[in-house]
Amino acid sequence: GQQLNQSPQSMFIQEGEDVSMNCTSSSIFNTWLWYKQDPGEGPVLLIALYKAGELTSNGRLTAQFGITRKDSFLNISASIPSDVGIYFCAGQLIYGGSQGNLIFGKGTKLSVKP
Amino acid sequence: GAVVSQHPSRVICKSGTSVKIECRSLDFQATTMFWYRQFPKQSLMLMATSNEGSKATYEQGVEKDKFLINHASLTLSTLTVTSAHPEDSSFYICSAADPNEKLFFGSGTQLSVL
């Protein structure tokens, strides 16, 4: 089945630093999504990407849908303590039917030192 | 934005008992909902796709008689863990697709089976 390789697994950075994480896949996806999950909570959508090559920003977050449709990255600029959490990438094939579900990466745990 | 309510947020039960978890879309109708399981420090793994008015579609390796899913209305799906055992202890998360086919996640249910 499809798998997503997300890296790095964890990051421990200083407040104010920029962060970059990425996901790669052996399969083509139609949609790439980036989520943040706080402990004991469900994932919250940060950015959704729908077209190959698309570059989208949401505040200090920027994500891109790779041209090959097999990869995506998420950048966080000028990190702050509240950025702490686990970030998941997710790929979606075709919505509807048995292929409508998301395939998640294993997550990147971000720790920010004040 | 769209809200998905999941209840309860935490449940502790004795081995052999059944536990029901509810997932409600509060401001949109969802013909499709998804149930995930997440072990500590792991990613979300899709368990089943809940379809309103029809039988759920289970992922490979997920026991349909163990994890009963009922999607009786366009705003409610339930997951019942039957005859729970300690190995069923996990974080369960639901998601619902709105009419624009965007997914929104519930806040999760932490199940602990003693």
Side-chain angles (χ1 to χ4, degrees):
Chain A
Q2 296 87 4
Q3 291 186 336
L4 290 184
N5 298 310
Q6 184 172 351
S7 64
Q9 289 186 332
S10 63
M11 302 181 73
F12 191 82
I13 63 171
Q14 198 78 26
E15 181 178 359
E17 290 184 352
D18 296 341
V19 173
S20 183
M21 59 191 79
N22 68 83
C23 274
T24 59
S25 169
S26 57
S27 301
I28 291 174
F29 287 107
N30 288 328
T31 302
W32 280 96
L33 305 154
W34 285 92
Y35 292 89
K36 183 187 178 191
Q37 185 179 26
D38 292 324
E41 298 288 332
V44 174
L45 181 65
L46 298 174
I47 292 180
L49 303 160
Y50 301 104
K51 295 181 181 179
E54 179 180 354
L55 182 70
T56 298
S57 293
N58 178 8
R60 294 179 294 106
L61 278 62
T62 302
Q64 185 160 30
F65 191 147
I67 291 292
T68 64
R69 296 165 66 190
K70 293 184 178 181
D71 64 304
S72 177
F73 72 74
L74 173 70
N75 288 342
I76 305 173
S77 63
S79 60
I80 59 178
S82 61
D83 290 335
V84 166
I86 301 177
Y87 293 79
F88 289 99
C89 64
Q92 190 173 30
L93 295 170
I94 302 171
Y95 181 75
S98 61
Q99 293 183 316
N101 60 74
L102 297 179
I103 298 170
F104 284 86
K106 293 187 176 181
T108 295
K109 183 178 181 180
L110 178 63
S111 301
V112 179
K113 185 177 181 180
Chain B
V3 176
V4 173
S5 174
Q6 187 172 343
H7 179 80
S9 59
R10 181 178 293 273
V11 58
I12 300 173
C13 68
K14 293 182 178 180
S15 184
T17 60
S18 295
V19 174
K20 179 184 284 188
I21 303 171
E22 294 187 348
C23 184
R24 295 180 183 271
S25 56
L26 297 185
D27 52 3
F28 65 95
Q29 293 183 329
T31 56
T32 304
M33 293 185 177
F34 302 92
W35 288 95
Y36 305 83
R37 185 172 182 178
Q38 186 178 31
F39 290 107
K41 300 183 180 181
Q42 298 293 319
S43 187
L44 286 76
M45 297 301 295
L46 181 69
M47 298 175 63
T49 301
S50 174
N51 304 298
E52 187 271 335
S54 64
K55 292 183 178 180
T57 304
Y58 290 83
E59 295 300 302
Q60 190 174 7
V62 178
E63 299 177 58
K64 60 180 65 177
D65 294 330
K66 174 76 171 177
F67 299 98
L68 301 179
I69 291 174
N70 187 307
H71 195 153
S73 77
L74 287 171
T75 60
L76 174 64
S77 175
T78 61
L79 168 68
T80 301
V81 182
T82 62
S83 187
H85 290 283
E87 58 265 30
D88 297 325
S89 299
S90 187
F91 193 57
Y92 293 87
I93 306 173
C94 71
S95 69
D98 75 359
N100 294 320
E101 302 181 356
K102 292 188 177 180
L103 292 183
F104 297 89
F105 286 84
S107 55
T109 297
Q110 182 64 54
L111 172 62
S112 299
V113 184
L114 304 179

